[in-house]
């Protein structure tokens, strides 16, 4: 039980460090970055952001009582390399101006949903 509390505390701290940014002079909202802001980050910050997003999704799989309750996105992501996820995500961000203004997390989810659906169609053939 103590390990679990420490683990969740570590995840909570990681989430705060990665997602909650202090409000600057322009008044950036806490916890939300756009695709454009993501692309302006350093390479290491981009990877850290994606790892944080994937870890957040993976926690839902960890909490699932059985395999049937595991969220589809967590199942789809479990065998992907971070470089592959990063390439898919950044390709979409660079494809259109609307993704630069949208929340990065929403774009991430949409990209991965399309990828997972296409992968499932290919594996069903």
């Amino acid at each position: 039980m103590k390990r679990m509390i420490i683990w969740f505390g570590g995840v909570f701290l990681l989430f705060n460090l990665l997602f909650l940014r202090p409000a600057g002079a322009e008044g950036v909202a806490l916890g939300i970055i756009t695709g454009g802001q993501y692309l302006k980050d350093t390479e290491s910050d981009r990877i850290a952001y994606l790892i944080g997003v994937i870890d957040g999704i993976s926690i839902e799989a960890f909490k699932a009582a059985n395999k049937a309750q595991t969220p589809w996105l967590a199942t789809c992501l479990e065998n992907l390399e971070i470089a592959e996820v990063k390439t898919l995500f950044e390709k979409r961000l660079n494809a259109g101006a609307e993704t630069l203004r949208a929340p990065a997390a929403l774009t991430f989810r949409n990209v991965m949903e399309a990828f997972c659906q296409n992968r499932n169609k290919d594996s069903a053939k």
Side-chain angles (χ1 to χ4, degrees):
M1 182 67 166
K2 188 175 183 178
R3 277 186 171 168
M4 191 177 205
I5 292 170
I6 291 171
W7 187 84
F8 280 114
V11 170
F12 179 74
L13 178 63
L14 179 65
F15 176 83
N16 285 327
L17 291 174
L18 293 176
F19 297 110
L20 299 181
R21 297 176 179 219
E26 69 281 353
V28 175
L30 291 178
I32 297 178
I33 68 166
T34 64
Q37 289 169 317
Y38 167 86
L39 289 175
K40 289 178 185 174
D41 279 344
T42 65
E43 187 73 12
S44 62
D45 285 346
R46 289 181 189 186
I47 291 170
Y49 175 83
L50 291 173
I51 289 171
V53 170
I54 292 168
D55 280 351
I57 293 166
S58 298
I59 286 175
E60 292 303 313
F62 176 75
K63 289 175 50 178
N66 58 52
K67 189 73 172 168
Q69 292 179 330
T70 301
W72 63 268
L73 187 52
T75 301
C76 179
L77 289 172
E78 68 187 5
N79 294 318
L80 294 177
E81 297 289 329
I82 191 70
E84 184 177 8
V85 172
K86 185 176 178 296
T87 299
L88 289 166
F89 181 53
E90 291 180 5
K91 181 178 177 183
R92 179 66 181 112
L93 288 177
N94 288 311
E98 73 280 355
T99 59
L100 298 178
R101 293 185 299 272
L106 178 61
T107 302
F108 178 85
R109 188 196 180 285
N110 292 341
V111 166
M112 296 316 301
E113 180 178 19
F115 171 79
C116 294
Q117 287 175 347
N118 287 336
R119 189 166 76 171
N120 287 340
K121 286 179 189 175
D122 290 342
S123 65
K125 290 180 182 179

